[in-house]
Amino acid sequence: MKVEKILFPKVKALYEAVEELIFENIDVKEIKVSDITSRAGIGKGTAYEYFKNKEEIISSALLYQIDLICRQMIKNLEELNDFFQAMEFILCSIDREIKKRDCLIQFVHLLSDNGLIGKTLQKKIKETNQEVCMPRDVLSHMLQVGVANGDISRGISASYASMAIAAKVIAYIIYISDENWESECSREEMHRMICDGLRRELGHA
Amino acid sequence: MKVEKILFPKVKALYEAVEELIFENIDVKEIKVSDITSRAGIGKGTAYEYFKNKEEIISSALLYQIDLICRQMIKNLEELNDFFQAMEFILCSIDREIKKRDCLIQFVHLLSDNGLIGKTLQKKIKETNQEVCMPRDVLSHMLQVGVANGDISRGISASYASMAIAAKVIAYIIYISDENWESECSREEMHRMICDGLRRELGHA
Amino acid sequence: MKVEKILFPKVKALYEAVEELIFENIDVKEIKVSDITSRAGIGKGTAYEYFKNKEEIISSALLYQIDLICRQMIKNLEELNDFFQAMEFILCSIDREIKKRDCLIQFVHLLSDNGLIGKTLQKKIKETNQEVCMPRDVLSHMLQVGVANGDISRGISASYASMAIAAKVIAYIIYISDENWESECSREEMHRMICDGLRRELGHA
Amino acid sequence: MKVEKILFPKVKALYEAVEELIFENIDVKEIKVSDITSRAGIGKGTAYEYFKNKEEIISSALLYQIDLICRQMIKNLEELNDFFQAMEFILCSIDREIKKRDCLIQFVHLLSDNGLIGKTLQKKIKETNQEVCMPRDVLSHMLQVGVANGDISRGISASYASMAIAAKVIAYIIYISDENWESECSREEMHRMICDGLRRELGHA
DNA sequence: AATGAATGAGGATTCATTCAT
DNA sequence: TATGAATGAATCCTCATTCAT
């Protein structure tokens, strides 16, 4: 994982504009180049000095945000020394940081998306393989911690375990996003239930 | 939940055209009306005899497919009398029916989507509230069975349990979709691990 | 001038539908065939049993209404034996019969219109030259009466006189249509001013 | 009344294209955006850089032409010091400047039109109330002159007088436009008759 | 390097007309 | 004769991209 690159100021402005637009609930696929550039306060043509096309702008921006988010997340997790504390922290982050969550949701969607942006993002991920910090790196980190201090049973396959954790996070996001889902319990209770569930599932019998 | 409606032939042709297009990995948001109508073998104008606009066509088609899929799934599940057999059946269905899986993925994506199609779909769901069979009905059914024959501990909150099941299904779809995920084990093994995981998570201590 | 033709019932329904639509302030050029047929309570295809195309429907309808209006007007005028009484009667009719006035305005507009409907109407008028009763026939009648009983000076050219009368009618229609025109006097006063003006203009010195 | 605005070159090209099209007897309501832009020698999209939609293009163009025409007309009338000379000048202008007359006719038609362009034009007129020079400004000017030098009797209501003048102009346009109107006299004779008629109607007894 | 005016390909939608029933 | 479902040509408008300044 490379060190954070220093971005050209215009590029940074573009990335932040994309983040803001996503945060404002504009669908990624309906974002227009002029939306981005006017928000970024630069000329439309300038965007094309740095990027080949719209898809590159958006997918680069998303990749950049995800990198930032995941890096920060790992940094925060490193201060905790317990898998379940880490899980709790992630769930709380999801509750807290709506902006970042929106980016994350778009990112996850685009991973299995056949549209132009999705394809571009997927290609970029393959190309920049290890240089960008991604959700799977956060998962790896958690897994490592979990196994190291015995929260996760060694009998459980690593790929299964990380999938199980990822799925819980996704399901939690769906849960809190879906206003119709009868919320018969508070978010805190749900956090606890999720951690307890994971403990039963991945922990020692 | 209403009885299956009989569709106008042209409407059926449109719905099937949408299904095919999704199956052929054309992004929902990039589907053109002319794609749909030419695939359906009808004139472009005809689509507008039955639907107000493109979004209505696509979201209705998806809702129809999801209804069919979920109805059939419940019918099949009713013949099984064990929660884990049911889970196994679902995972096998996901392996088998690629077409339906693609529709399901698109559907789930659109549920948390701010684009025009997503918005239209969400509105349609609210309107046709109980008439359409949806994934949550499949979940409810499974939950009921699981609790009834003791596979799911009564101590577990219903909303948590259905989230846990949904998460597993999502995880499995991610698992088989992501070619990069090091497939260190066969699908059958993965089925078993998932069921075992659920057993530990939701079953009796 | 021929005797009134007896219309096929469907044709009459179409004509009345057009009249109603014009009365409802729908622009002639924005009237759709389906508007007309649904209003007339007949099938869309049926209209094409009687007319070659949309333009024929609308221009025939207008011509029919104008013929009716002008015939009736002349019949009424015949009972009056004074040019200025006749003029007063026309102004009152304009006040009273909004529906007919709307048709008349559209008709006059279309006489100098290069659109499809206008062209068709103009062609029809040329073809059916003397069979249809038109505004100019009303004017001729008035002129005749006016000259006969001495209200209009014989020194005045017939074409000028009819233009002068037409101008007054147009002016009055503009006057009552334009809400902005400061209505500093009542309609009755305006009637009187118009008749006085005509008296000075066309009468004997 | 504002000073003439300097137009963007593309806007001017669009305005002139509309004028030409009207002059070529293409019905305003049948003008296509591509007609205008190709005539103006610019790209279709460019029109939308300056105008929201087709209706705005056409009604703005008409308003601009009318403003030009009326300004020029007033400027010319200012050099004449007699109401009847002014009237004569207007009738001659109508004979001479066919292009401008076509624009004027379209404009007058649209003032009492329920179509999209008409509505837009009417709204624009209300908004830009005093900034645009319009036919009623020409009328006002004539009236002023007529009353000032005693050609129009002070006993005649201003609104009636301007209506009478306007109606004469409209009637004259209809007269010369309608080839069927039996022209038993030359245009010059008709001019004279109109002026004489107005003199009798509006002048001192 | 930065701009934003200009472009035009592309796609949604409408509606007059047809024709099988 | 009457119908109205089906059609597709026609047209408005959008927006990614370019390029002269």
Side-chain angles (χ1 to χ4, degrees):
Chain A
M1 220 186 297
K2 254 196 194 166
V3 183
E4 276 181 58
K5 269 188 276 184
I6 288 131
L7 299 176
F8 290 101
K10 310 270 169 179
V11 171
K12 200 164 181 224
L14 287 169
Y15 285 176
E16 280 163 0
V18 172
E19 189 198 17
E20 283 181 44
L21 288 166
I22 288 174
F23 177 51
E24 285 166 24
N25 268 335
I26 297 170
D27 182 49
V28 211
K29 309 206 187 168
E30 279 166 8
I31 292 177
K32 295 165 217 157
V33 174
S34 61
D35 287 341
I36 302 173
T37 52
S38 68
R39 176 70 59 119
I42 65 178
K44 219 196 303 192
T46 311
Y48 287 86
E49 296 287 329
Y50 297 97
F51 297 97
K52 224 174 85 257
N53 53 38
K54 190 178 82 156
E55 284 70 37
E56 287 287 331
I57 302 171
I58 295 177
S59 58
S60 299
L62 265 170
L63 220 45
Y64 172 77
Q65 299 297 347
I66 292 298
D67 181 75
L68 276 190
I69 293 169
C70 293
R71 257 173 225 279
Q72 183 61 46
M73 188 60 78
I74 289 178
K75 200 177 282 177
N76 289 328
L77 293 181
E78 276 166 352
E79 293 169 12
L80 306 170
N81 42 22
D82 167 328
F83 173 74
F84 296 106
Q85 270 180 37
M87 192 68 197
E88 174 78 29
F89 181 81
I90 284 174
L91 297 176
C92 286
S93 303
I94 287 168
D95 287 339
R96 241 184 301 116
E97 314 220 48
I98 323 165
K99 229 171 178 170
K100 294 185 178 171
R101 183 172 76 223
D102 288 340
C103 283
L104 191 66
I105 293 173
Q106 295 298 340
F107 180 81
V108 172
H109 271 199
L110 289 171
L111 289 180
S112 61
D113 186 295
N114 295 300
L116 277 169
I117 302 176
K119 290 277 178 64
T120 309
L121 183 66
Q122 289 154 30
K123 221 176 73 188
K124 281 187 95 69
I125 290 175
K126 271 194 191 158
E127 285 165 9
T128 62
N129 207 0
Q130 303 302 355
E131 302 173 18
V132 179
C133 185
M134 300 229 307
R136 83 173 42 179
D137 297 310
V138 180
L139 277 179
S140 292
H141 176 84
M142 289 190 64
L143 215 62
Q144 234 179 329
V145 169
V147 173
N149 73 351
D151 290 329
I152 296 174
S153 157
R154 282 177 200 276
I156 283 167
S157 134
S159 64
Y160 173 78
S162 52
M163 203 185 64
I165 299 165
K168 279 282 180 294
V169 174
I170 292 169
Y172 182 65
I173 289 176
I174 293 175
Y175 172 78
I176 62 172
S177 301
D178 186 351
E179 41 194 43
N180 294 347
W181 204 296
E182 305 82 31
S183 41
E184 56 186 35
C185 59
S186 70
R187 291 193 174 187
E188 286 71 30
E189 280 178 301
M190 188 51 85
H191 292 185
R192 200 182 31 74
M193 286 197 282
I194 287 172
C195 288
D196 286 351
L198 275 178
R199 191 170 282 128
R200 288 194 297 278
E201 189 186 356
L202 304 178
H204 301 277
Chain B
M1 224 184 293
K2 254 196 194 164
V3 184
E4 277 180 56
K5 271 187 273 181
I6 289 131
L7 299 175
F8 292 102
K10 308 277 164 178
V11 170
K12 204 170 178 217
L14 287 170
Y15 284 177
E16 280 162 1
V18 172
E19 188 197 16
E20 284 181 44
L21 288 166
I22 286 174
F23 178 52
E24 285 168 23
N25 270 335
I26 297 170
D27 181 48
V28 213
K29 307 205 189 169
E30 278 166 7
I31 293 178
K32 295 161 220 157
V33 173
S34 62
D35 287 341
I36 302 174
T37 52
S38 68
R39 175 68 58 119
I42 64 179
K44 221 191 305 186
T46 309
Y48 289 87
E49 294 285 328
Y50 297 97
F51 297 96
K52 227 174 79 261
N53 51 39
K54 191 177 79 158
E55 284 70 39
E56 286 287 331
I57 302 172
I58 295 177
S59 60
S60 299
L62 265 171
L63 217 46
Y64 173 75
Q65 299 297 346
I66 291 299
D67 181 73
L68 276 190
I69 292 168
C70 293
R71 255 173 227 279
Q72 185 60 46
M73 187 61 78
I74 289 179
K75 199 177 283 178
N76 289 328
L77 294 181
E78 275 165 353
E79 292 168 15
L80 306 169
N81 41 22
D82 167 328
F83 173 73
F84 295 105
Q85 270 179 38
M87 194 67 200
E88 174 79 28
F89 181 82
I90 284 174
L91 298 176
C92 287
S93 302
I94 288 169
D95 287 338
R96 241 183 301 115
E97 314 220 49
I98 322 165
K99 230 171 175 170
K100 295 184 178 172
R101 185 174 72 224
D102 289 339
C103 285
L104 190 66
I105 294 172
Q106 295 298 339
F107 179 80
V108 173
H109 271 199
L110 290 170
L111 289 180
S112 61
D113 188 294
N114 293 302
L116 274 172
I117 303 177
K119 290 276 179 65
T120 310
L121 183 66
Q122 290 156 29
K123 220 177 74 187
K124 282 187 95 70
I125 289 174
K126 272 195 189 157
E127 285 166 7
T128 62
N129 207 0
Q130 303 301 357
E131 301 173 19
V132 179
C133 187
M134 299 228 309
R136 82 174 42 181
D137 297 309
V138 181
L139 277 179
S140 293
H141 177 84
M142 289 191 64
L143 213 62
Q144 232 178 332
V145 170
V147 172
N149 72 352
D151 291 329
I152 297 175
S153 159
R154 281 177 201 276
I156 283 167
S157 134
S159 63
Y160 173 75
S162 46
M163 198 190 70
I165 300 167
K168 284 287 179 286
V169 174
I170 291 166
Y172 186 64
I173 289 177
I174 294 173
Y175 172 76
I176 62 171
S177 301
D178 187 351
E179 41 195 44
N180 293 348
W181 209 288
E182 304 82 30
S183 40
E184 57 187 33
C185 61
S186 71
R187 292 192 172 188
E188 286 72 30
E189 279 179 302
M190 188 51 82
H191 292 186
R192 199 182 32 72
M193 286 198 282
I194 286 172
C195 287
D196 286 350
L198 273 178
R199 191 169 284 126
R200 288 194 298 277
E201 189 182 357
L202 304 179
H204 300 277
Chain C
M1 224 186 292
K2 254 197 194 165
V3 183
E4 276 180 58
K5 271 187 273 183
I6 289 131
L7 299 175
F8 292 101
K10 310 271 169 179
V11 171
K12 203 169 178 219
L14 287 169
Y15 285 176
E16 280 162 359
V18 171
E19 188 198 16
E20 284 181 44
L21 289 167
I22 287 174
F23 177 52
E24 285 166 25
N25 269 337
I26 297 170
D27 182 49
V28 212
K29 307 205 188 168
E30 277 168 7
I31 293 177
K32 294 165 218 159
V33 173
S34 62
D35 287 340
I36 302 174
T37 52
S38 69
R39 176 70 60 120
I42 65 179
K44 219 195 305 191
T46 310
Y48 287 86
E49 297 286 329
Y50 298 97
F51 297 96
K52 225 174 83 258
N53 52 39
K54 189 177 84 156
E55 283 71 36
E56 288 287 331
I57 303 172
I58 294 177
S59 59
S60 299
L62 265 170
L63 219 46
Y64 172 77
Q65 299 298 347
I66 292 299
D67 181 73
L68 275 190
I69 292 168
C70 294
R71 255 174 228 279
Q72 184 59 47
M73 188 61 77
I74 289 178
K75 198 177 284 177
N76 289 329
L77 294 180
E78 276 165 352
E79 293 169 13
L80 307 170
N81 41 22
D82 169 327
F83 173 74
F84 295 104
Q85 269 181 39
M87 194 66 200
E88 175 78 29
F89 181 82
I90 283 175
L91 298 176
C92 287
S93 303
I94 287 169
D95 287 339
R96 240 184 301 116
E97 315 220 46
I98 322 166
K99 232 172 176 171
K100 294 186 177 171
R101 184 173 74 224
D102 289 340
C103 284
L104 190 66
I105 293 172
Q106 293 299 337
F107 180 81
V108 173
H109 270 199
L110 289 171
L111 288 180
S112 60
D113 187 294
N114 295 299
L116 276 170
I117 303 176
K119 290 276 179 65
T120 310
L121 183 66
Q122 290 155 30
K123 221 177 73 188
K124 283 186 94 69
I125 289 174
K126 273 193 187 157
E127 285 164 9
T128 63
N129 207 359
Q130 304 300 356
E131 302 173 19
V132 179
C133 186
M134 300 227 307
R136 83 174 42 180
D137 297 310
V138 180
L139 279 179
S140 292
H141 177 85
M142 288 191 64
L143 214 62
Q144 235 178 331
V145 169
V147 173
N149 74 350
D151 290 330
I152 297 176
S153 159
R154 282 178 200 277
I156 283 167
S157 135
S159 62
Y160 172 75
S162 46
M163 197 189 70
I165 300 166
K168 284 287 179 286
V169 176
I170 292 167
Y172 186 64
I173 289 177
I174 293 175
Y175 173 77
I176 61 172
S177 302
D178 188 349
E179 42 195 43
N180 294 347
W181 209 288
E182 303 82 31
S183 39
E184 55 186 37
C185 59
S186 72
R187 291 192 174 190
E188 287 71 31
E189 280 177 302
M190 189 49 84
H191 292 184
R192 199 181 34 72
M193 285 199 281
I194 286 172
C195 287
D196 286 350
L198 272 179
R199 191 170 283 129
R200 290 195 296 277
E201 188 183 357
L202 303 179
H204 301 277
Chain D
M1 221 185 296
K2 253 197 195 165
V3 184
E4 276 179 58
K5 269 187 275 181
I6 289 130
L7 299 175
F8 292 101
K10 309 277 165 177
V11 170
K12 202 168 180 221
L14 287 169
Y15 284 177
E16 281 162 1
V18 171
E19 189 196 16
E20 284 181 43
L21 289 166
I22 287 174
F23 177 53
E24 284 167 24
N25 270 334
I26 297 170
D27 182 48
V28 213
K29 309 205 188 167
E30 278 166 8
I31 292 177
K32 295 162 221 155
V33 174
S34 62
D35 288 340
I36 303 173
T37 51
S38 68
R39 175 68 58 119
I42 64 179
K44 220 191 306 186
T46 309
Y48 289 89
E49 294 284 330
Y50 297 96
F51 296 98
K52 226 175 81 260
N53 53 37
K54 190 176 79 158
E55 284 70 38
E56 287 287 331
I57 302 173
I58 295 177
S59 59
S60 298
L62 266 170
L63 219 45
Y64 173 76
Q65 299 297 346
I66 292 299
D67 181 74
L68 276 190
I69 292 168
C70 293
R71 257 173 224 279
Q72 183 61 45
M73 188 61 77
I74 290 179
K75 198 176 284 177
N76 289 327
L77 294 180
E78 275 166 353
E79 294 168 12
L80 306 170
N81 42 23
D82 167 329
F83 172 74
F84 296 106
Q85 269 179 38
M87 193 68 197
E88 173 80 29
F89 180 82
I90 283 174
L91 297 175
C92 286
S93 302
I94 287 168
D95 288 339
R96 241 183 302 114
E97 314 219 48
I98 323 166
K99 229 173 179 169
K100 294 185 177 171
R101 185 174 74 225
D102 288 340
C103 284
L104 190 66
I105 294 173
Q106 295 298 340
F107 179 80
V108 172
H109 272 198
L110 289 171
L111 288 181
S112 61
D113 188 295
N114 294 300
L116 274 172
I117 303 177
K119 290 277 179 62
T120 310
L121 183 65
Q122 290 155 29
K123 221 178 72 188
K124 282 186 94 70
I125 289 174
K126 271 193 188 158
E127 285 165 6
T128 63
N129 207 0
Q130 303 301 357
E131 302 174 18
V132 179
C133 186
M134 299 229 308
R136 83 173 41 181
D137 296 310
V138 180
L139 276 180
S140 293
H141 177 84
M142 289 190 63
L143 215 61
Q144 232 180 330
V145 170
V147 172
N149 72 352
D151 292 329
I152 297 175
S153 158
R154 282 177 200 276
I156 283 168
S157 132
S159 64
Y160 173 79
S162 51
M163 202 184 65
I165 300 167
K168 279 280 182 293
V169 174
I170 291 170
Y172 182 66
I173 289 176
I174 293 175
Y175 172 78
I176 62 171
S177 301
D178 186 351
E179 38 193 45
N180 295 347
W181 204 296
E182 305 83 30
S183 42
E184 56 185 34
C185 59
S186 71
R187 291 192 173 186
E188 285 72 29
E189 282 178 302
M190 187 51 85
H191 291 186
R192 199 182 32 72
M193 286 196 285
I194 288 172
C195 288
D196 286 350
L198 275 178
R199 189 170 285 124
R200 288 194 299 278
E201 188 185 358
L202 305 179
H204 301 278

